[in-house]
C-alpha cells in the first residue's frame, strides 16, 4: 500500500535522524539536506538507500542530484511508489 | 645542530586504551600493573585458535555521537577521541583559525595505523555478500583508507600545514611521532597532532596473526598471557586503542604560555633488511637505529634513565631488542629502567607507538617508570634492568627516556625524550 505524504515525511525524518542525528521535528519540507540537515553527498546516498527500502521505490543516481530539499524527496517518492 | 632547526616539545597528551578511556586512567592502570587482556566474549571467537584480546576499556560508541561514529572506522574513532583529549590538554579551544591560538597553515596532523580500516573493509564485504551492492556504505572508502584517522584528526583541529600517514606495521605510531617532530624541527609547522591508532580485533586478523605464529596460544588466565621477558612467553596479545600527543615548537609553546611535558630530542631510524616478519636475531637493525639516535641527538648512553621497550612478548623479538640495547649502550644499560607496557595493554600494532609515546612522556613527567607485569621467571637472556613488582621512581635531575617501536617489514624507530 502506498504511503501518504505525512507518512513519507515522518519516515524521512526518522532516516535523517538516524544518519545525521537531526531531531525528527526539524526535518521539514522546505529544509535543504546539505545546508540545513547536515547531510553531505555521501550521507545523502545513505538517506536515498534507506528511503528506497522503506518506501519500495527506486531512486536512480541521476535523480538524486535533483533532491535538494525534503519536499523534493517527498514528491519524488509520492510520484514513484508502486 | 643547524641553527635554523627548532626545539620540539610535548604540550598535550591523549589516549584511549585497554586500561582506560583517557590518558589519566591509562597511566593509573599502568602504575597499578593492571592487565587489559580479557576473554573475547564474542560468538565469532569460538572457533578461533586465540580467544583473548586487550579490548578498549571504553567503547568509542559510548563517547562519540552516533551520526559521527557511523561515518568513522573504529580506528578513526579511537584516534579522534585521543586527539580531542590531547588538543584540549594542550590548552587549545576549538579549531585552529577559530581559536586565535594557532595558525591553521602552521598546524599538521600525523596519525598512523598499521592496518587501516580493516574491520570496515571486512564488514562491508559481508554487507555486499549478504545484502547486495546497493547496501555497501558510501562511507566505506574514507573509512577503510589508512590515512582516514589522520585526515579525520586533521579536519577536527583544522590542520593545513600537512596531514600524513607513515605506515610501517607496528612501528607506525612511533614513525608518525618522528615524522611530526621533523615537520616542526625543519620549520614546516609550529604544532602537529601525532600518534597511532589501531582497531583490528576481528576474526580475520586474529586468524592471520595466529597462523603466522605471532599470537600467544596460552589458554590460561588471560591477564597472565602477555608476559614480555618471562621464560613462558609465547607471542603477543592483540590490543586496540590510540595514543596521541600534541607536539609544538618550544618558541610557539612559550609564546602562548603552554605547559610543557618534556622535550623531544630526536629519533633514530633503520631497516633490518633481514626478513619480512622475523626479527633479525642479533638485533643489528635495532642497534643501527639506536646508534643513529645517539649520533643525531648527541645523547650519551649514560644519560638514558628509562626505556619503554617494544617487547611484545615473543620469544625472539624480546631478546633481540635487549641484545641491541646492550651493544649500543654497553654497561650503561645497567642503569636504564626498562618497562614493557605491552604486558598490560597488549600489542596495539600501529597504535603501540602512540600509546607508548604517551606512557614515555608520562614516565618523565611523573619521574616514574611503570612496571612490567607477569615476569614470574625472567629469561636469563634478558640481561637488563626490567622494572617489575611495581612502579619505580626515576629520581631527580634531568632525565632522558627512549621509546622503541619495531614493525613487520623490519622497520625500527626509536624516539628520545628529555625532561623539560
Amino acid at each position: 500500500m502506498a504511503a501518504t505524504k505525512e507518512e513519507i515525511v515522518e519516515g524521512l525524518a526518522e532516516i535523517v535522524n538516524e544518519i545525521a542525528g537531526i531531531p525528527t521535528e526539524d526535518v521539514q519540507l522546505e529544509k535543504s539536506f546539505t545546508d540545513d540537515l547536515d547531510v553531505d553527498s555521501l550521507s545523502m546516498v545513505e538517506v536515498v538507500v534507506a528511503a528506497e527500502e522503506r518506501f519500495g521505490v527506486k531512486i536512480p543516481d541521476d535523480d538524486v542530484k535533483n533532491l535538494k530539499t525534503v519536499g523534493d524527496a517527498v514528491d519524488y517518492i509520492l510520484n514513484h511508489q508502486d | 645542530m643547524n641553527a635554523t632547526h627548532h626545539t620540539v616539545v610535548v604540550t598535550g597528551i591523549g589516549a584511549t586504551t585497554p586500561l582506560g578511556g583517557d590518558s589519566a586512567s591509562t597511566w593509573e592502570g599502568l602504575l597499578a600493573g593492571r592487565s587489559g587482556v580479557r576473554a573475547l566474549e564474542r560468538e565469532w571467537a569460538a572457533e578461533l585458535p586465540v580467544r583473548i584480546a586487550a579490548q578498549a576499556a571504553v567503547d568509542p560508541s559510548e563517547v562519540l555521537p552516533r551520526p559521527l561514529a557511523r561515518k568513522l572506522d573504529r580506528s578513526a574513532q579511537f584516534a579522534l577521541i585521543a586527539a580531542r583529549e590531547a588538543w584540549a590538554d594542550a590548552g587549545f579551544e576549538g579549531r585552529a583559525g577559530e581559536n586565535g591560538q594557532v595558525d591553521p597553515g602552521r598546524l599538521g596532523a600525523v596519525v598512523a595505523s598499521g592496518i587501516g580500516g580493516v574491520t570496515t573493509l571486512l564488514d562491508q564485504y559481508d554487507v555486499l555478500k549478504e545484502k547486495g551492492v546497493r547496501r555497501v556504505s558510501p562511507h566505506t572508502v574514507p573509512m577503510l583508507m589508512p590515512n582516514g584517522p589522520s585526515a579525520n584528526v586533521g579536519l577536527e583541529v583544522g590542520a593545513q600545514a600537512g596531514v600524513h600517514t607513515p605506515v610501517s606495521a607496528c612501528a607506525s605510531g612511533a614513525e608518525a611521532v618522528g615524522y611530526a617532530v621533523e615537520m616542526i624541527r625543519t620549520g614546516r609547522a609550529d604544532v602537529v597532532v601525532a600518534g597511532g591508532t589501531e582497531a583490528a580485533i576481528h576474526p580475520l586478523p586474529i586468524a592471520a596473526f595466529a597462523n603466522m605464529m605471532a599470537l600467544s596460544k596460552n589458554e590460561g588466565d588471560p591477564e597472565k598471557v602477555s608476559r614480555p621477558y618471562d621464560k613462558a612467553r609465547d607471542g603477543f596479545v592483540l590490543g586496540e586503542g590510540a595514543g596521541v600527543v600534541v607536539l609544538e615548537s618550544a618558541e610557539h609553546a612559550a609564546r602562548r604560555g603552554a605547559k610543557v611535558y618534556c622535550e623531544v630530542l630526536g629519533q633514530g631510524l633503520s631497516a633490518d633488511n633481514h626478513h619480512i616478519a622475523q626479527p633479525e636475531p642479533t638485533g643489528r637493525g635495532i642497534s643501527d637505529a639506536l646508534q643513529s639516535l645517539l649520533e643525531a641527538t648527541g645523547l650519551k648512553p649514560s644519560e638514558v634513565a628509562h626505556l619503554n621497550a617494544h617487547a611484545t612478548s615473543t620469544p625472539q623479538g624480546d631478546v633481540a631488542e635487549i641484545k641491541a640495547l646492550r651493544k649500543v649502550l654497553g654497561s650503561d644499560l645497567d642503569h636504564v629502567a626498562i618497562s614493557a607496557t605491552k604486558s598490560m595493554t597488549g600489542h596495539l600494532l600501529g597504535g603501540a607507538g602512540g600509546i607508548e609515546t604517551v606512557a614515555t612522556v608520562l614516565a618523565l613527567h611523573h619521574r616514574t617508570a611503570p612496571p612490567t607485569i607477569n615476569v614470574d621467571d625472567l629469561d636469563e637472556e634478558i640481561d637488563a634492568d626490567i622494572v617489575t613488582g611495581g612502579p619505580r621512581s626515576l629520581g631527580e635531575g634531568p632525565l632522558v627516556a627512549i621509546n622503541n617501536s619495531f614493525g613487520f617489514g623490519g622497520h625500527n624507530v626509536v624516539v628520545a625524550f628529555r625532561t623539560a
Side-chain angles (χ1 to χ4, degrees):
Chain A
M1 200 173 71
T4 65
K5 184 168 184 173
E6 289 68 30
E7 286 167 342
I8 295 170
V9 174
E10 192 184 313
L12 281 174
E14 286 171 14
I15 290 167
V16 171
N17 172 259
E18 166 73 20
I19 289 167
I22 302 292
T24 50
E25 61 269 26
D26 292 348
V27 182
Q28 294 161 1
L29 292 176
E30 74 282 6
K31 292 287 173 71
S32 155
F33 285 107
T34 45
D35 298 339
D36 302 322
L37 301 178
D38 206 21
V39 176
D40 64 15
S41 61
L42 296 183
S43 296
M44 188 64 195
V45 178
E46 287 188 286
V47 170
V48 165
V49 172
E52 285 182 339
E53 285 207 348
R54 183 154 181 157
F55 302 112
V57 292
K58 280 301 293 176
I59 310 177
D61 290 350
D62 283 348
D63 289 344
V64 172
K65 61 179 180 297
N66 299 322
L67 308 181
K68 305 284 189 211
T69 65
V70 175
D72 294 340
V74 170
D75 290 343
Y76 190 97
I77 294 164
L78 267 178
N79 294 333
H80 291 82
Q81 61 185 351
D82 299 332
Chain B
M1 193 182 292
N2 188 316
T4 63
H5 283 196
H6 302 270
T7 299
V8 181
V9 295
V10 179
T11 56
I13 54 170
T16 181
T17 74
L19 300 181
D22 59 15
S23 57
S25 53
T26 296
W27 180 244
E28 190 190 345
L30 290 174
L31 291 188
R34 213 165 62 225
S35 170
V37 182
R38 301 282 180 273
L40 273 171
E41 308 287 352
R42 308 284 284 273
E43 209 174 292
W44 51 252
E47 61 191 66
L48 290 172
V50 172
R51 291 178 298 279
I52 58 167
Q55 296 179 88
V58 177
D59 198 88
S61 64
E62 293 171 26
V63 182
L64 297 174
R66 189 169 41 91
L68 175 62
R70 67 200 300 281
K71 293 195 281 191
L72 298 175
D73 181 75
R74 191 172 170 87
S75 63
Q77 295 174 2
F78 288 137
L80 194 61
I81 290 166
R84 283 179 172 180
E85 183 194 348
W87 189 247
D89 184 48
F92 291 119
E93 293 165 10
R95 301 175 81 236
E98 292 163 12
N99 62 18
Q101 296 171 295
V102 51
D103 174 356
R106 303 285 304 161
L107 171 67
V110 190
V111 180
S113 140
I115 310 188
V118 64
T119 55
T120 293
L121 177 65
L122 295 165
D123 290 348
Q124 290 300 316
Y125 186 55
D126 289 343
V127 170
L128 174 69
K129 284 185 298 181
E130 289 160 19
K131 298 179 178 168
V133 173
R134 188 71 174 155
R135 291 289 296 276
V136 171
S137 169
H139 301 291
T140 303
V141 171
M143 287 171 75
L144 70 82
M145 61 192 195
N147 52 318
S150 206
N152 278 293
V153 168
L155 286 167
E156 172 80 9
V157 298
Q160 294 180 17
V163 173
H164 305 282
T165 311
V167 175
S168 49
C170 307
S172 301
E175 192 166 353
V177 171
Y179 192 102
V181 168
E182 289 310 307
M183 284 179 79
I184 297 169
R185 193 183 293 281
T186 57
R188 268 188 68 201
D190 293 325
V191 179
V192 183
V193 182
T197 185
E198 203 77 69
I201 298 177
H202 176 286
L204 188 104
I206 291 175
F209 279 119
N211 287 352
M212 71 191 294
M213 296 181 291
L215 294 181
S216 170
K217 295 201 172 71
N218 185 331
E219 296 198 322
D221 178 358
E223 298 194 3
K224 303 283 284 178
V225 171
S226 186
R227 44 196 315 120
Y229 307 134
D230 183 88
K231 270 184 190 161
R233 70 189 185 279
D234 69 334
F236 73 80
V237 175
L238 188 58
E240 64 172 2
V244 170
V245 290
V246 173
L247 301 173
E248 191 162 356
S249 74
E251 304 95 297
H252 195 273
R255 208 156 53 230
R256 65 182 189 92
K259 73 168 182 298
V260 171
Y261 283 97
C262 63
E263 178 187 346
V264 190
L265 284 176
Q267 62 178 323
L269 303 166
S270 77
D272 279 354
N273 184 28
H274 170 72
H275 186 273
I276 194 66
Q278 297 291 327
E280 202 284 329
T282 68
R284 170 180 44 77
I286 299 168
S287 34
D288 288 348
L290 286 162
Q291 195 61 49
S292 90
L293 170 75
L294 299 186
E295 285 163 18
T297 59
L299 180 65
K300 293 186 203 64
S302 60
E303 295 176 276
V304 182
H306 169 59
L307 183 133
N308 190 307
H310 186 61
T312 63
S313 186
T314 61
Q316 276 196 13
D318 292 9
V319 171
E321 182 178 15
I322 296 295
K323 281 182 185 166
L325 287 165
R326 179 60 74 185
K327 185 178 166 196
V328 177
L329 301 181
S331 59
D332 287 312
L333 180 62
D334 295 340
H335 312 293
V336 180
I338 296 179
S339 303
T341 47
K342 288 187 184 78
S343 59
M344 295 168 276
T345 63
H347 187 1
L348 277 72
L349 311 178
I355 67 164
E356 286 155 29
T357 294
V358 169
T360 308
V361 168
L362 284 173
L364 285 183
H365 184 65
H366 295 292
R367 295 176 171 274
T368 304
T372 305
I373 65 166
N374 297 329
V375 189
D376 298 333
D377 188 8
L378 181 69
D379 185 338
E380 52 273 336
E381 284 201 84
I382 303 301
D383 168 29
D385 181 13
I386 310 302
V387 179
T388 57
R392 188 196 296 176
S393 169
L394 294 170
E396 303 297 311
L399 295 174
V400 171
I402 294 174
N403 178 39
N404 280 359
S405 285
F406 318 128
F408 284 166
H411 314 279
N412 304 304
V413 181
V414 301
V415 185
F417 304 83
R418 180 167 59 197
T419 43

Short mmCIF file of all heavy atoms in Angstrom, two decimals, chain A residues 18-21 42-43 46 48 52-53 59 61, chain B residues 66-68 70-71 134-139 142:
data_model
loop_
_atom_site.label_atom_id
_atom_site.label_comp_id
_atom_site.label_asym_id
_atom_site.label_seq_id
_atom_site.Cartn_x
_atom_site.Cartn_y
_atom_site.Cartn_z
N GLU A 18 18.45 9.17 12.09
CA GLU A 18 19.38 8.04 12.27
C GLU A 18 20.75 8.36 11.66
O GLU A 18 21.78 8.08 12.26
CB GLU A 18 18.76 6.79 11.60
CG GLU A 18 19.71 5.62 11.39
CD GLU A 18 20.04 4.89 12.69
OE1 GLU A 18 19.27 5.03 13.65
OE2 GLU A 18 21.07 4.18 12.71
N ILE A 19 20.76 8.96 10.47
CA ILE A 19 22.01 9.16 9.73
C ILE A 19 22.75 10.42 10.17
O ILE A 19 23.97 10.39 10.34
CB ILE A 19 21.72 9.17 8.21
CG1 ILE A 19 21.37 7.73 7.78
CG2 ILE A 19 22.90 9.72 7.41
CD1 ILE A 19 20.76 7.62 6.42
N ALA A 20 22.02 11.51 10.37
CA ALA A 20 22.70 12.78 10.65
C ALA A 20 22.48 13.28 12.08
O ALA A 20 23.09 14.27 12.49
CB ALA A 20 22.24 13.85 9.66
N GLY A 21 21.61 12.61 12.83
CA GLY A 21 21.39 13.00 14.22
C GLY A 21 20.53 14.23 14.39
O GLY A 21 20.46 14.81 15.47
N LEU A 42 27.81 12.07 0.64
CA LEU A 42 27.92 10.64 0.97
C LEU A 42 26.74 10.18 1.82
O LEU A 42 26.14 9.14 1.58
CB LEU A 42 29.24 10.35 1.70
CG LEU A 42 30.53 10.59 0.92
CD1 LEU A 42 31.74 10.19 1.74
CD2 LEU A 42 30.51 9.85 -0.40
N SER A 43 26.41 11.00 2.82
CA SER A 43 25.29 10.63 3.68
C SER A 43 23.98 10.65 2.91
O SER A 43 23.04 9.91 3.22
CB SER A 43 25.21 11.57 4.88
OG SER A 43 26.38 11.41 5.68
N GLU A 46 23.18 7.39 1.65
CA GLU A 46 22.59 6.53 2.69
C GLU A 46 21.10 6.83 2.88
O GLU A 46 20.29 5.92 3.04
CB GLU A 46 23.29 6.79 4.03
CG GLU A 46 24.68 6.23 4.13
CD GLU A 46 25.19 6.37 5.55
OE1 GLU A 46 25.52 7.50 5.95
OE2 GLU A 46 25.22 5.37 6.27
N VAL A 48 19.08 8.00 0.66
CA VAL A 48 18.36 7.50 -0.52
C VAL A 48 18.15 5.99 -0.43
O VAL A 48 17.04 5.48 -0.66
CB VAL A 48 19.14 7.87 -1.81
CG1 VAL A 48 18.64 7.06 -3.00
CG2 VAL A 48 19.01 9.36 -2.09
N GLU A 52 14.61 4.13 -0.27
CA GLU A 52 14.22 3.12 -1.26
C GLU A 52 13.66 1.88 -0.58
O GLU A 52 12.63 1.34 -0.97
CB GLU A 52 15.44 2.70 -2.10
CG GLU A 52 15.87 3.74 -3.13
CD GLU A 52 17.06 3.26 -3.96
OE1 GLU A 52 17.80 2.35 -3.51
OE2 GLU A 52 17.26 3.79 -5.06
N GLU A 53 14.36 1.43 0.48
CA GLU A 53 13.92 0.23 1.19
C GLU A 53 12.59 0.45 1.88
O GLU A 53 11.69 -0.39 1.83
CB GLU A 53 14.95 -0.14 2.25
CG GLU A 53 16.18 -0.74 1.67
CD GLU A 53 16.87 -1.66 2.65
OE1 GLU A 53 16.51 -1.65 3.84
OE2 GLU A 53 17.77 -2.38 2.21
N ILE A 59 15.42 5.03 -6.72
CA ILE A 59 15.83 6.42 -6.99
C ILE A 59 17.19 6.35 -7.68
O ILE A 59 18.21 6.20 -7.01
CB ILE A 59 15.91 7.25 -5.68
CG1 ILE A 59 14.63 7.09 -4.85
CG2 ILE A 59 16.18 8.72 -6.02
CD1 ILE A 59 14.64 7.82 -3.52
N ASP A 61 20.76 7.17 -9.43
CA ASP A 61 21.76 8.16 -9.05
C ASP A 61 21.54 9.49 -9.77
O ASP A 61 21.72 10.56 -9.18
CB ASP A 61 23.18 7.64 -9.38
CG ASP A 61 23.58 6.50 -8.45
OD1 ASP A 61 22.85 6.27 -7.45
OD2 ASP A 61 24.60 5.84 -8.71
N ARG B 66 26.40 9.27 17.75
CA ARG B 66 26.16 8.21 16.77
C ARG B 66 26.32 8.64 15.31
O ARG B 66 26.96 7.94 14.53
CB ARG B 66 24.76 7.60 17.01
CG ARG B 66 24.45 6.36 16.22
CD ARG B 66 23.17 5.70 16.73
NE ARG B 66 22.14 6.69 17.04
CZ ARG B 66 21.24 7.11 16.16
NH1 ARG B 66 21.22 6.63 14.96
NH2 ARG B 66 20.34 8.02 16.51
N PRO B 67 25.79 9.83 14.91
CA PRO B 67 25.94 10.21 13.49
C PRO B 67 27.41 10.35 13.08
O PRO B 67 27.76 10.08 11.93
CB PRO B 67 25.22 11.56 13.41
CG PRO B 67 24.30 11.57 14.57
CD PRO B 67 24.98 10.79 15.66
N LEU B 68 28.26 10.77 14.01
CA LEU B 68 29.69 10.88 13.71
C LEU B 68 30.33 9.49 13.71
O LEU B 68 31.07 9.13 12.78
CB LEU B 68 30.38 11.78 14.76
CG LEU B 68 31.91 11.90 14.66
CD1 LEU B 68 32.31 12.52 13.33
CD2 LEU B 68 32.44 12.74 15.82
N ARG B 70 29.18 6.59 13.09
CA ARG B 70 28.85 5.67 12.00
C ARG B 70 29.59 5.98 10.70
O ARG B 70 29.62 5.16 9.79
CB ARG B 70 27.33 5.61 11.78
CG ARG B 70 26.71 6.88 11.26
CD ARG B 70 25.22 6.91 11.54
NE ARG B 70 24.50 5.80 10.91
CZ ARG B 70 24.16 5.75 9.65
NH1 ARG B 70 24.49 6.74 8.83
NH2 ARG B 70 23.49 4.73 9.17
N LYS B 71 30.22 7.16 10.63
CA LYS B 71 31.00 7.52 9.44
C LYS B 71 32.49 7.27 9.64
O LYS B 71 33.29 7.58 8.78
CB LYS B 71 30.79 9.01 9.10
CG LYS B 71 29.39 9.33 8.64
CD LYS B 71 29.31 10.69 7.98
CE LYS B 71 29.26 11.79 9.00
NZ LYS B 71 28.92 13.11 8.39
N ARG B 134 23.96 -2.37 -3.55
CA ARG B 134 23.35 -1.09 -3.21
C ARG B 134 23.52 -0.74 -1.74
O ARG B 134 23.50 0.42 -1.35
CB ARG B 134 21.86 -1.17 -3.58
CG ARG B 134 21.09 0.12 -3.47
CD ARG B 134 21.49 1.12 -4.54
NE ARG B 134 20.63 2.30 -4.50
CZ ARG B 134 21.01 3.49 -4.97
NH1 ARG B 134 22.19 3.63 -5.53
NH2 ARG B 134 20.19 4.51 -4.93
N ARG B 135 23.68 -1.77 -0.89
CA ARG B 135 23.73 -1.52 0.55
C ARG B 135 25.14 -1.26 1.07
O ARG B 135 25.32 -0.95 2.24
CB ARG B 135 23.10 -2.71 1.30
CG ARG B 135 21.60 -2.82 1.08
CD ARG B 135 20.84 -1.71 1.81
NE ARG B 135 21.02 -1.81 3.25
CZ ARG B 135 20.30 -2.60 4.03
NH1 ARG B 135 19.35 -3.35 3.54
NH2 ARG B 135 20.53 -2.64 5.33
N VAL B 136 26.14 -1.38 0.20
CA VAL B 136 27.51 -1.06 0.65
C VAL B 136 27.58 0.43 0.99
O VAL B 136 27.18 1.28 0.20
CB VAL B 136 28.54 -1.43 -0.44
CG1 VAL B 136 29.93 -0.91 -0.07
CG2 VAL B 136 28.58 -2.94 -0.63
N SER B 137 28.07 0.74 2.18
CA SER B 137 28.05 2.12 2.67
C SER B 137 28.87 3.05 1.78
O SER B 137 30.00 2.74 1.41
CB SER B 137 28.60 2.19 4.09
OG SER B 137 28.81 3.55 4.45
N PRO B 138 28.32 4.23 1.44
CA PRO B 138 29.09 5.22 0.68
C PRO B 138 30.26 5.78 1.49
O PRO B 138 31.11 6.45 0.93
CB PRO B 138 28.06 6.32 0.37
CG PRO B 138 27.00 6.17 1.42
CD PRO B 138 26.96 4.70 1.76
N HIS B 139 30.29 5.50 2.77
CA HIS B 139 31.40 5.95 3.61
C HIS B 139 32.55 4.94 3.64
O HIS B 139 33.55 5.17 4.32
CB HIS B 139 30.92 6.20 5.04
CG HIS B 139 29.82 7.21 5.14
ND1 HIS B 139 30.01 8.54 4.90
CD2 HIS B 139 28.50 7.07 5.42
CE1 HIS B 139 28.87 9.19 5.04
NE2 HIS B 139 27.93 8.31 5.35
N PRO B 142 36.39 6.32 2.62
CA PRO B 142 37.04 7.15 3.64
C PRO B 142 37.22 6.43 4.99
O PRO B 142 38.08 6.80 5.78
CB PRO B 142 36.14 8.37 3.78
CG PRO B 142 34.97 8.15 2.90
CD PRO B 142 35.21 6.97 2.04
#
